[in-house]
Amino acid sequence: MNDMIISTIDTIILDVPIRRPHKFSILTIEAQSLLLVRVTTTEGVVGIGEGVVPGGPWWGGESIEGMKALIDRYLTPLLVGQDLSRVGYLGRKLDRMIAGAEFAKAAVEMALWDACGKGYGLPVYQLLGGSHRDRLPVTWALGAEPADVVIEEAQQKLDAGEHRSFKLKMGSGRPADDVARVTAVADALAGRADLAVDLNGSWDVLTAERYLPELAAAGIGLIEQPVPRWDVAAMARLADLLTIPVMADESLRTPHDAVQLCTSGAADVLAVKLAKGGGISNVLAVGAVADAFGVPCYGGTTIESSIGTAASLHAFCAMPSLTAGTELFGTLLLSDDIVVDPVVFKDGFLHLPTGPGLGIEIDEDQIARYARTS
């Protein structure tokens, strides 16, 4: 199709407040920065993508500001003039020419898929082979605050019928105190909710071997990334030790990582995210590896707006191996959105958009409101 030639790529940084402070293992955020990417074709079709990092470069090594500079200066010249319909090829081209930078590449690739879907008049999930499901359950993430604060928040979500699955952040305090805090939460919610914990790689293997069995005994149903991402051998030791699943997040970015984790028995579940995986195409490749090994995937978040959440829904609903649930709570944590009609969350599920491309439309007034001016 001659009208699917990339003409321009534009980026803008947005800063959107969140509903309450969100505490990770080493920092707390009170707003989320987003990088809006617009890909325009010579015929005027506009595709939208979103770059997101969870609270800055501590997690994945990239920042919103760095992503913008990389896209404007290096990725854009590689793509302008190219045939938009060849999204897979263009993604491979970026991987060959730009090392790493998965978060930046994911933002651009998302916009390419959106524009491609709009050009063909099809939703992205149909371009990916069709959907295996039309909705996904959403786990709510609880921060590393004191037990009474966490319990109150979880009970409010349960009483409202919004969530029955929760993930608690750990790793910001002394291990013994952290375990006591989580045990108190587990006792208070016993029989009412499924619980997981995420350590963001903050413990060493000896600490993990000492304390993780206590969490399993307390009723925690899943352990996410207890040790640093490079220590795959320790992940395998812990997966063998525990009677509950161990999930890899920071240890997993590429399909090659997925092969290593699966062959070494280092992960019972693989957490996939569009941002850390470098985009939809690479995440689908990780899903194919997981499917071959019979390992379920879990849909993670980097606290996206409806743009990134819609893209995740299209990818995750097209993945046969995405059977372990999701935590696509980004739009629920943000105090506002930047699209005309946000993604639909109802009865604990996010529903797959069915319009062309990602099925969302940006709100220009909201973009102007939250655009960074300096």
Side-chain angles (χ1 to χ4, degrees):
M1 295 178 65
N2 293 331
D3 59 345
M4 298 184 75
I5 302 300
I6 299 170
S7 174
T8 62
I9 300 178
D10 302 297
T11 60
I12 184 172
I13 295 176
L14 313 172
D15 296 302
V16 181
I18 60 177
R19 296 183 184 276
R20 50 98 169 131
H22 190 63
K23 189 173 184 180
F24 295 93
S25 61
I26 64 171
L27 57 80
T28 300
I29 64 171
E30 297 184 353
Q32 177 66 313
S33 296
L34 312 170
L35 181 66
L36 179 68
V37 179
R38 297 189 232 213
V39 171
T40 304
T41 71
T42 53
E43 293 298 313
V45 175
V46 180
I48 305 299
E50 178 179 78
V52 190
V53 293
W58 71 277
W59 197 97
E62 294 181 59
S63 68
I64 289 291
E65 299 80 8
M67 290 160 58
K68 177 174 171 52
L70 185 68
I71 293 170
D72 291 349
R73 177 66 178 84
Y74 295 98
L75 273 64
T76 294
L78 293 173
L79 296 174
V80 169
Q82 296 292 315
D83 181 356
L84 176 66
S85 68
R86 305 176 70 192
V87 179
Y89 164 77
L90 296 178
R92 285 296 182 96
K93 180 176 182 177
L94 294 182
D95 285 340
R96 288 195 304 271
M97 299 299 295
I98 308 290
E102 290 90 356
F103 288 71
K105 286 188 250 185
V108 172
E109 196 224 28
M110 189 184 302
L112 296 178
W113 279 114
D114 184 41
C116 188
K118 290 173 178 174
Y120 285 117
L122 295 171
V124 167
Y125 69 82
Q126 289 191 352
L127 300 179
L128 303 177
S131 65
H132 291 260
R133 55 197 71 85
D134 64 2
R135 69 197 69 187
L136 291 168
V138 180
T139 291
W140 180 255
L142 299 162
E145 289 81 13
D148 58 340
V149 175
V150 170
I151 292 168
E152 180 181 5
E153 183 176 348
Q155 288 178 336
Q156 289 174 351
K157 297 294 182 182
L158 287 166
D159 293 343
E162 295 176 349
H163 303 273
R164 65 170 306 275
S165 175
F166 300 93
K167 187 173 79 171
L168 295 87
K169 289 291 185 180
M170 295 185 69
S172 62
R174 292 179 61 249
D177 295 339
D178 227 1
V179 170
R181 177 182 68 90
V182 170
T183 298
V185 175
D187 289 343
L189 301 179
R192 299 187 64 201
D194 297 325
L195 298 178
V197 296
D198 181 9
L199 285 128
N200 291 122
S202 58
W203 284 357
D204 59 45
V205 65
L206 296 180
T207 302
E209 286 180 328
R210 164 68 178 83
Y211 288 105
L212 290 185
E214 292 188 22
L215 292 174
I220 299 302
L222 180 143
I223 308 293
E224 180 176 348
Q225 198 66 44
V227 295
R229 61 187 175 192
W230 53 265
D231 204 346
V232 175
M235 291 282 285
R237 280 175 60 178
L238 296 170
D240 187 57
L241 169 70
L242 297 173
T243 57
I244 59 174
V246 173
M247 182 163 72
D249 183 10
E250 283 89 340
S251 292
L252 172 67
R253 291 203 179 189
T254 69
H256 307 94
D257 295 334
V259 171
Q260 182 185 20
L261 289 164
C262 291
T263 56
S264 61
D268 303 297
V269 183
L270 298 180
V272 293
K273 300 174 182 175
L274 298 191
K276 71 167 181 173
I280 290 173
S281 300
N282 286 338
V283 164
L284 290 178
V286 169
V289 172
D291 201 29
F293 281 91
V295 174
C297 289
Y298 173 89
T301 184
T302 42
I303 313 180
E304 305 89 348
S305 76
S306 280
I307 297 172
T309 302
S312 294
L313 280 166
H314 283 274
F316 296 165
C317 285
M319 289 174 59
S321 56
L322 202 294
T323 57
T326 80
E327 58 181 61
L328 294 175
F329 60 85
T331 60
L332 307 175
L333 185 60
L334 295 177
S335 65
D336 207 351
D337 216 322
I338 56 175
V339 302
V340 175
D341 295 309
V343 290
V344 176
F345 175 76
K346 183 179 179 181
D347 300 327
F349 288 83
L350 275 170
H351 294 256
L352 177 63
T354 57
L358 297 178
I360 48 88
E361 177 186 353
I362 61 171
D363 185 325
E364 295 293 352
D365 290 337
Q366 291 289 80
I367 300 302
R369 178 181 182 184
Y370 293 113
R372 186 178 296 184
T373 58
S374 62

